[in-house]
Structures are given as structure tokens and as C-alpha cells.
């Protein structure tokens, strides 16, 4: 038995719809610009999938209050379908996620040719709703996000450039995927800023909803 210098951090985990069990999260991979219209609004053309990562402890399981990120004046929402990798290395279930992004820091990193870590992998940057096990309820289902009741992002899962299954296969070529991996599969057009006090509703047909409240930045 290990004798720890200090207690290990708790394992990040997602609730599972209809179960008392939870899904332990090992790591979070994300795909960029996987909807053609979003790629155009970000100034990019269709290309092979590219990935970035968030630490597992960026997870905000089930949604709820999310503090406005420090060191940014331009925090953006990005609603996404999330694929969860199960025991056999295939997709075990699905959830609604929100990739929060410090867009101003991302723009500076892009201009300088630097990594996106500070723009994408900060604390509380990966809110994710409860996991629905099994097949995706509606592969052509609507994906949408509203802020304070006003629609911001709307699209269909079939608008993806690369399907979730293709994304998982490509990720498996680059990493050894293991149980507990989450893969955010990209966002439709309409990304935009949020402010403290905003209520964000993320929806994908057939999946448990994800609701967020952006609170004041922590001191």
C-alpha cells in the first residue's frame, strides 16, 4: 500500500442516467472544427481531425454553477456531443458537453503559433451532463445551446464533418484509448461569449440536458 505525501485527489466522474454507478473519467480529448459552418466562422477549411486536450479535473459533472474563468475578457460557449469510451475501447455512452474557451487567449496563441492549453484546459472548462449508456438515441438529432433563453447555437449531429465513430478511430491511432476517456466531438456554428449571471442551456436530442449558471470569477 502506498504512503502518500498528501491525500490523492478524488477521481473525476460523471453520473449515469438511471443508475447509481458513476463513470470514472481518465482524460478528456477534444476535436476542433468538426462542423463545416463552425470551421468557416473560425476561418478554417475542411481537414483531417485535429485534437487538443483538457485535464480530467476540468470536468464539471452534471452542470450547475461555473465560475467565470480568470485571465480572460472573452469566455465562449461551445455545445458538443461527448463520446465516452468503455471497457472494450468502444463508445459506451453519450453526454452533452460544453467546451468553455478563453477565446482571447486562444487568438493570441494562434497568432504566435503556440499551444492552446491556457485557452482550453483551465479549471471548470469541461461541463458535462449525465451519461446515457448504449447507442446514440438519434444520430441526426438536434444540437443546440441557448443563453438566457435566446438560441445561440443550433445544428444537427449529422452536420459533423467526421462522425463520432471516425473520431474515436482516429484518436485511437494517436493514443491508446482506455476506459474512462471522454471525447468532445466538436461544436456547430454560433459560438459566442458568456458573462457572469448568464444561464446556459445545452441540449442534444435524446440525451440528459446540461444547464449551467455562469457565476462571478473566484477571487
Amino acid at each position: 500500500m502506498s504512503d502518500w505525501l498528501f491525500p490523492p485527489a478524488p477521481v473525476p466522474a460523471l453520473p449515469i442516467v438511471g443508475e447509481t454507478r458513476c463513470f470514472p473519467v481518465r482524460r478528456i480529448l477534444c476535436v476542433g472544427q468538426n462542423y463545416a459552418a463552425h470551421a468557416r466562422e473560425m476561418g478554417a477549411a475542411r481537414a483531417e481531425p485535429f485534437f487538443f486536450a483538457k485535464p480530467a479535473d476540468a470536468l464539471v459533472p452534471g452542470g450547475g454553477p461555473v465560475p467565470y474563468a480568470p485571465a480572460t475578457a472573452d469566455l465562449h460557449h461551445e455545445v458538443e456531443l461527448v463520446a465516452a469510451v468503455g471497457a472494450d475501447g468502444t463508445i459506451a455512452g453519450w453526454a452533452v458537453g460544453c467546451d468553455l474557451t478563453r477565446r482571447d487567449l486562444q487568438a493570441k496563441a494562434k497568432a504566435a503559433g503556440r499551444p492552446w492549453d491556457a485557452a482550453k484546459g483551465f479549471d471548470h472548462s469541461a461541463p458535462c451532463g449525465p451519461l446515457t449508456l448504449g447507442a446514440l438515441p438519434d444520430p441526426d438529432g438536434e444540437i443546440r445551446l441557448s443563453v438566457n433563453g435566446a438560441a445561440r447555437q443550433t445544428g444537427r449531429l449529422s452536420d459533423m464533418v467526421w462522425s463520432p465513430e471516425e473520431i474515436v478511430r482516429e484518436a485511437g491511432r494517436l493514443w491508446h484509448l482506455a476506459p474512462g476517456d471522454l471525447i468532445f466531438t466538436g461544436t456547430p456554428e454560433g459560438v459566442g461569449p458568456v458573462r457572469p449571471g448568464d444561464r446556459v442551456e445545452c441540449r442534444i436530442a435524446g440525451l440528459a440536458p446540461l444547464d449551467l449558471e455562469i457565476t462571478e470569477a473566484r477571487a
Side-chain angles (χ1 to χ4, degrees):
M1 183 179 217
S2 297
D3 186 10
W4 305 108
L5 180 62
F6 49 82
V11 175
L14 281 179
I16 299 174
V17 174
E19 298 207 14
T20 57
R21 296 182 298 172
C22 291
F23 180 87
V25 175
R26 176 173 176 262
R27 67 178 160 195
I28 300 172
L29 300 174
C30 307
V31 176
Q33 299 168 359
N34 192 37
Y35 287 75
H38 174 58
R40 287 193 296 270
E41 77 177 348
M42 299 303 290
R46 184 185 189 276
E48 67 181 15
F50 73 91
F51 295 84
F52 57 91
K54 294 175 182 275
D57 65 3
L59 189 74
V60 182
V66 175
Y68 194 88
T72 183
D74 198 19
L75 183 67
H76 276 211
H77 59 72
E78 300 187 10
V79 62
E80 309 208 9
L81 174 68
V82 179
V85 177
D88 59 357
T90 61
I91 301 173
W94 309 88
V96 181
C98 188
D99 167 17
L100 294 176
T101 302
R102 295 195 273 209
R103 192 70 72 200
D104 44 1
L105 298 192
Q106 185 187 37
K108 289 179 182 178
K110 284 181 177 181
R114 294 174 177 170
W116 294 5
D117 298 61
K120 289 287 193 177
F122 52 93
D123 295 343
H124 314 291
S125 64
C128 192
L131 187 67
T132 296
L133 297 178
L136 184 61
D138 185 356
D140 187 39
E142 183 183 44
I143 176 171
R144 59 187 171 89
L145 179 145
S146 300
V147 178
N148 301 324
R152 290 274 191 91
Q153 293 183 265
T154 59
R156 306 202 77 81
L157 298 179
S158 56
D159 294 336
M160 288 186 186
V161 177
W162 301 92
S163 73
E165 293 76 15
E166 289 173 322
I167 289 167
V168 171
R169 284 198 297 271
E170 181 65 13
R173 188 180 70 82
L174 298 170
W175 293 275
H176 174 69
L177 296 183
D181 290 346
L182 294 181
I183 302 179
F184 282 57
T185 62
T187 194
E189 65 180 316
V191 300
V194 291
R195 299 282 183 261
D198 284 346
R199 300 192 67 84
V200 182
E201 296 180 345
C202 304
R203 300 290 186 267
I204 295 177
L207 298 180
L210 173 64
D211 292 330
L212 311 174
E213 179 185 356
I214 307 300
T215 63
E216 294 290 341
R218 291 181 175 173

